[in-house]
Amino acid sequence: MKEDPKRFEKMSMWDDAQKMLQKAERDGIETVWDRLEQQTPHCKFGESGVCCRICTMGPCRISKKAPLGVCGAGADVIVARNFGRFLAGGAAGHSDHGRDCIEAFHAVAHGHTKDYQIKDEQKLLRIAEERGIAIEGRELLEVARDLADEFFEDFGSRREKVGFLSRLPVKQLENWEKLGIVPRGVDREVTEMMHRTHMGCDNDAGNTMLHALRMCLADGWSGSMIATELSDILFGTPSPRKAQVNLGVLKEDQVNILVHGHNPIVSEKILEAVNEEELIDLARKAGASGVNLAGLCCTGNELMMRQGIPMAGNHLMTELAIITGAVELIVVDYQCIMPSLVQVGNCYHTKMVTTADKARFTGADHVKFEMHNGMEQARKVVRMAIDRYTMRNQDRVEIPCEPVDIMTGFSNEALLEALGGSLSPLVDAIKAGKIRGAVGLVGCNNPKYKHDFCNVNLARELIKKDILVLATGCVTTAAGKAGLLVPEAIEQAGPGLKEICGSLGIPPVLHMGSCVDNARILQLAALLANEIGVSISDLPLAASSPEWYSEKAATIGTYAVASGIYTHLGHPPNITGSPVVTNLALEGLDEMLGACFAIEPDPFKAAELIDERIKMKRKGLGLPE
Ligand code: XCC
Ligand code: SF4
C-alpha cells in the first residue's frame, strides 16, 4: 500500500482526511487504516459467524468437515446466538445511556444536584401527560419525580409492554402481539438474550431471532427514546440553527478541546465551562486567544443540534483530528472511542480524559463526572486543557481546510413548527408525490469503505429522486461536509423535493441528531402512520446504514426493520454462515413485518433498491408515482 501514490484518496473522499493521512505518515503515526491492513484478511469463521466461544467444550468452528460443535450445535444456532449477543451489546449501549439520562433527571427532580436543570418545562409536562402522570396543579419537580420513576419502570420486569408503545399504530401493536415480539422491559430483554444464548437454551435459530426483534424494539421504543426525550427536557429541545463541520473548525491560536462519545451530560457542562470568563482569562494568560470547543461523533451531534457547537469530524476523523497537532485535550464519555486515541495523543501534546467509570482507557486521566459535581469537574478538565496549550509545538500544527456551513436542529418539534404546526403539509406532499418518501440515513464509518463515499453518494442519489433524507449519527458529518445540510442543497434535489424544501426554507437532508435520536425518526414514522391511518410498514419509508460498524448500528437496523422500515446495510453482519438467519433477514421478516434487510455495498445500486421499495409502498397506498 505504501507505494501507491493514490492511497490516501482511496482511504477517504475528504481533503481534510487525506491531508492528515499524509501528515500521519510524515509523523510516523499508525492509524485505523494501517491496522485494518494488518488484520486483513479477516478470519472467515468469525466473518460468517460460525465460530462459537460460548462454552469451554469449545471453542468450535463449523466447516464441511465438522458441521457440528462439540455440544451438537450447528451453524444456524451458533450464528443466531452470536448475532443475538451482538445485538444485545447495541441495545445495552443505547439503553444504558438512556438510564444515565434518567439518573440525571432523577437527581434534578429530587434536588440532589444544582449542576443540571430542567430546560424544557413544556416538554416535561407534555411527556408526563403522555405517560399518564397527573400534571394539573402540581409542582414541576413533583411531576418530574413521577416521570423519572415511570421511566425506571420501563427498564424492569413488571410491565407487559414499555410505555412509549402507545405511540405505535394500534394495528401494528396487534401484529407484534401476535408475533410475540412486544418488548416488556429494556433490561429484561437484554438479560433474556444472554440467557437464551447460554449453552443448552434456545436452540432454534428462528426463535432466537424473534427475541432479537423484541430486544431491539425495547432499545428503539424505550431505552433510546427515553434518552432522547430526557436529553431534550434537560438540555433543551433542538431547533434549527447554523453550525460548521470538518477539521477547519479547530483554531490555530486557541486552546482546542474536543468532546467525544455520546451522552450530553458531560459535553454540555464542558460547553458551559469553556464560556466562563475566568477560564477564558486563564487561557489568555497561557498565550491563547481563547478556548475553542468542537465535537466528534454523537456527543458532537448532541451539542451541535442543541447549541450549534461545531463538529470536527465523524468516527474515522477522530484519530486524524489529533494529528492536526492542535488539540490540547479530548474528553470522552463512552462508545465509539478508539483506544488508539491515547497513543495518537501521546505522539503530540494531546491529553485524553475519561469521565465515566464504565469507560476508562489505560493511559488517560480519569475525571469522574457525577451528578453533584458535573460543573466542578468540567472546569477541572478545561484547566487541564489550558495547561497543555503551553506544551503545544506550533511547528507541528496543520489545520487542513476551511469549515463548511450546515443547518442542524431538526427535532420533530422543530419540524412540526416548520410545517406550521401540523403534519398535513408533509402528508399532502407525500400523497402528491412531491416528496416520494423518506429515508433515515444513519450510522457510522468503517475503514473497509472509502470514508464517507457511500454515505454521501447515497444521500445525493436519494434527494435527486425526491426522497427526503433524515440524517443522524456519523452520516451527519458526511452530509454536512458534502454541502447537503444547507437550504441551498435543494439545487441538488429533484423538482418536487426542491419545491417543498424551498418553500419551507429547509435543507433536503435534515439533521435529526445522534444515534439514540433515531428514536425521533421512529416517532415521526408513527405520527405519519397514525395521521394516514396505516401501519409504519405501509409508508414509503426506508432506512440505511451504508458504512456501519458497531453493534449499536446493527441494533438500530433491527429495530427499524421490526418497526416496519425496510433497511439497507452496506455489508451484512456476521451471519452469512447460517442460511436460516440470512434468509430471515433478507426475506422472511418481510412476510411477518412488512420490512426486511437489503445488503448492497454500492451506494448507487442501493439508491435504486430503496427507490423500488418506495415505489412499491406508494403503490400499496394507492399513491401516484
Ligand atoms: Fe458510533 Fe454514535 Fe456509528 Fe458514529 S454513528 S460510529 S455508532 S458515533 Ni451512531
Ligand atoms: Fe462448542 Fe457448543 Fe460450546 Fe459453542 S456451546 S463452544 S458449539 S460446545
Side-chain angles (χ1 to χ4, degrees):
M1 196 111 178
K2 279 245 155 73
E3 303 72 42
D4 182 354
K6 287 208 184 303
R7 61 194 179 280
F8 302 125
E9 284 162 53
K10 287 180 185 161
M11 293 176 191
S12 174
M13 70 178 283
W14 304 117
D15 192 44
D16 59 349
Q18 290 169 17
K19 288 203 172 115
M20 286 308 100
L21 282 163
Q22 282 164 20
K23 185 167 189 287
E25 200 171 270
R26 283 200 310 274
D27 292 359
I29 291 163
E30 195 181 74
T31 67
V32 59
W33 286 273
D34 299 309
R35 294 186 300 269
L36 174 65
E37 211 181 323
Q38 292 156 22
Q39 288 293 339
T40 306
H42 296 275
C43 164
K44 289 284 171 250
F45 296 99
E47 207 163 50
S48 60
V50 296
C51 167
C52 185
R53 292 174 296 120
I54 272 170
C55 84
T56 63
M57 293 192 285
C60 304
R61 38 189 221 181
I62 301 305
S63 62
K64 275 214 182 78
K65 263 198 335 222
L68 297 177
V70 175
C71 68
D76 290 322
V77 165
I78 291 173
V79 166
R81 286 195 303 214
N82 286 340
F83 189 44
R85 287 188 170 199
F86 189 79
L87 295 170
H94 287 145
S95 296
D96 202 41
H97 164 175
R99 185 197 335 268
D100 287 340
C101 294
I102 309 178
E103 284 188 343
F105 180 63
H106 183 270
V108 172
H110 286 267
H112 296 160
T113 175
K114 294 227 161 8
D115 287 359
Y116 297 85
Q117 294 90 29
I118 305 242
K119 286 265 173 63
D120 191 340
E121 298 185 358
Q122 288 314 311
K123 182 152 188 173
L124 163 57
L125 294 173
R126 212 172 60 237
I127 300 281
E129 219 177 358
E130 186 184 352
R131 296 295 290 248
I133 293 163
I135 62 168
E136 274 309 308
R138 300 182 74 200
E139 276 197 38
L140 194 74
L141 289 189
E142 209 183 326
V143 175
R145 287 195 284 275
D146 284 356
L147 185 58
D149 289 345
E150 161 67 18
F151 282 157
F152 273 132
E153 281 294 310
D154 251 26
F155 279 66
S157 306
R158 311 189 66 164
R159 295 212 150 143
E160 282 174 17
K161 53 176 182 285
V162 296
F164 278 128
L165 293 190
S166 57
R167 292 178 170 182
L168 202 70
V170 178
K171 234 177 58 188
Q172 196 163 350
L173 185 59
E174 283 168 6
N175 186 40
W176 291 5
E177 275 161 3
K178 214 174 70 209
L179 294 168
I181 58 167
V182 177
R184 301 156 295 180
V186 175
D187 289 345
R188 176 180 190 160
E189 308 307 0
V190 174
T191 303
E192 188 173 316
M193 179 57 86
M194 297 310 286
H195 178 192
R196 280 176 183 242
T197 52
H198 187 278
M199 188 275 168
C201 290
D202 205 357
N203 284 306
D204 181 279
N207 199 46
T208 308
M209 286 300 99
L210 271 183
H211 182 68
L213 298 175
R214 171 158 62 180
M215 177 186 68
C216 293
L217 286 171
D219 173 7
W221 291 88
S222 185
S224 287
M225 209 167 258
I226 288 172
T228 292
E229 303 296 37
L230 283 183
S231 296
D232 285 359
I233 289 170
L234 289 170
F235 303 111
T237 303
S239 56
R241 66 192 65 233
K242 290 198 170 130
Q244 292 188 315
V245 286
N246 79 24
L247 290 184
V249 305
L250 297 172
K251 302 254 167 66
E252 209 169 296
D253 58 347
Q254 296 198 16
V255 175
N256 288 303
I257 300 176
L258 291 175
V259 283
H260 184 4
H262 282 78
N263 198 330
I265 286 170
V266 172
S267 52
E268 285 274 351
K269 291 301 117 178
I270 303 281
L271 171 61
E272 274 178 47
V274 300
N275 285 317
E276 288 185 344
E277 271 312 314
E278 203 192 313
L279 290 171
I280 297 173
D281 281 346
L282 199 64
R284 292 208 181 102
K285 278 190 200 123
S289 74
V291 186
N292 180 43
L293 182 68
L296 291 167
C297 289
C298 276
T299 213
N301 278 309
E302 299 269 354
L303 275 190
M304 194 162 75
M305 279 281 278
R306 296 195 180 84
Q307 318 286 2
I309 295 306
M311 174 76 94
N314 52 8
H315 185 54
L316 283 185
M317 296 303 294
T318 56
E319 292 178 320
L320 303 183
I322 298 175
I323 290 167
T324 60
V327 176
E328 274 55 56
L329 183 143
I330 170 164
V331 51
V332 307
D333 49 71
Y334 38 58
Q335 299 169 14
C336 299
I337 302 145
M338 289 193 231
S340 63
L341 297 186
V342 179
Q343 284 85 49
V344 179
N346 285 342
C347 299
Y348 299 90
H349 68 301
T350 310
K351 183 87 233 158
M352 175 131 155
V353 173
T354 53
T355 58
D357 280 351
K358 52 189 145 199
R360 295 193 61 161
F361 290 60
T362 307
D365 282 13
H366 193 55
V367 180
K368 182 173 172 175
F369 269 61
E370 290 173 286
M371 277 321 117
H372 62 88
N373 70 4
M375 221 31 245
E376 186 190 319
Q377 298 300 73
R379 290 187 190 109
K380 186 169 165 188
V381 170
V382 174
R383 269 186 233 109
M384 287 166 80
I386 294 169
D387 271 353
R388 302 302 280 196
Y389 184 77
T390 53
M391 297 162 67
R392 187 197 288 183
N393 179 352
Q394 285 293 3
D395 297 339
R396 292 184 77 199
V397 171
E398 182 187 337
I399 297 172
C401 56
E402 289 302 310
V404 177
D405 289 331
I406 65 150
M407 194 175 186
T408 170
F410 290 97
S411 57
N412 288 328
E413 288 85 344
L415 195 59
L416 268 169
E417 202 179 305
L419 291 166
S422 124
L423 276 182
S424 343
L426 182 59
V427 172
D428 291 345
I430 292 172
K431 284 188 173 160
K434 289 189 171 160
I435 296 180
R436 293 179 47 246
V439 172
L441 196 54
V442 314
C444 324
N445 294 140
N446 185 326
K448 292 178 175 176
Y449 297 86
K450 178 169 171 171
H451 171 219
D452 282 339
F453 178 83
C454 301
N455 289 336
V456 165
N457 283 296
L458 184 54
R460 281 188 182 139
E461 289 305 304
L462 291 173
I463 62 170
K464 262 191 222 164
K465 297 178 192 295
D466 285 328
I467 295 168
L468 179 69
V469 173
L470 311 170
T472 63
C474 286
V475 166
T476 308
T477 308
K481 283 162 99 164
L484 296 173
L485 292 183
V486 282
E488 297 75 37
I490 56 171
E491 296 308 327
Q492 300 182 49
L497 189 61
K498 180 175 174 183
E499 181 194 323
I500 302 290
C501 293
S503 69
L504 296 170
I506 60 173
V509 181
L510 300 177
H511 178 213
M512 294 196 75
S514 60
C515 353
V516 294
D517 288 339
N518 287 309
R520 295 189 202 275
I521 301 181
L522 285 184
Q523 189 193 9
L524 181 61
L527 285 169
L528 280 171
N530 283 325
E531 176 95 6
I532 305 179
V534 295
S535 290
I536 293 174
S537 56
D538 298 319
L539 298 172
L541 295 182
S544 169
S545 195
E547 301 177 30
W548 75 282
Y549 91 91
S550 73
E551 291 172 326
K552 291 180 293 164
T555 308
I556 293 167
T558 306
Y559 74 60
V561 168
S563 300
I565 302 171
Y566 174 80
T567 298
H568 159 255
L569 300 174
H571 57 284
N574 302 327
I575 60 170
T576 52
S578 162
V580 168
V581 177
T582 305
N583 293 339
L584 197 63
L586 298 180
E587 284 165 27
L589 294 179
D590 213 1
E591 265 164 54
M592 293 158 53
L593 300 157
C596 57
F597 283 101
I599 309 294
E600 176 53 64
D602 178 326
F604 302 96
K605 288 185 193 153
E608 294 302 326
L609 281 177
I610 290 171
D611 188 62
E612 246 156 60
R613 191 72 182 193
I614 281 177
K615 266 188 202 144
M616 185 185 118
K617 293 292 176 185
R618 290 188 63 84
K619 206 167 154 206
L621 287 172
L623 299 177
E625 239 328 299

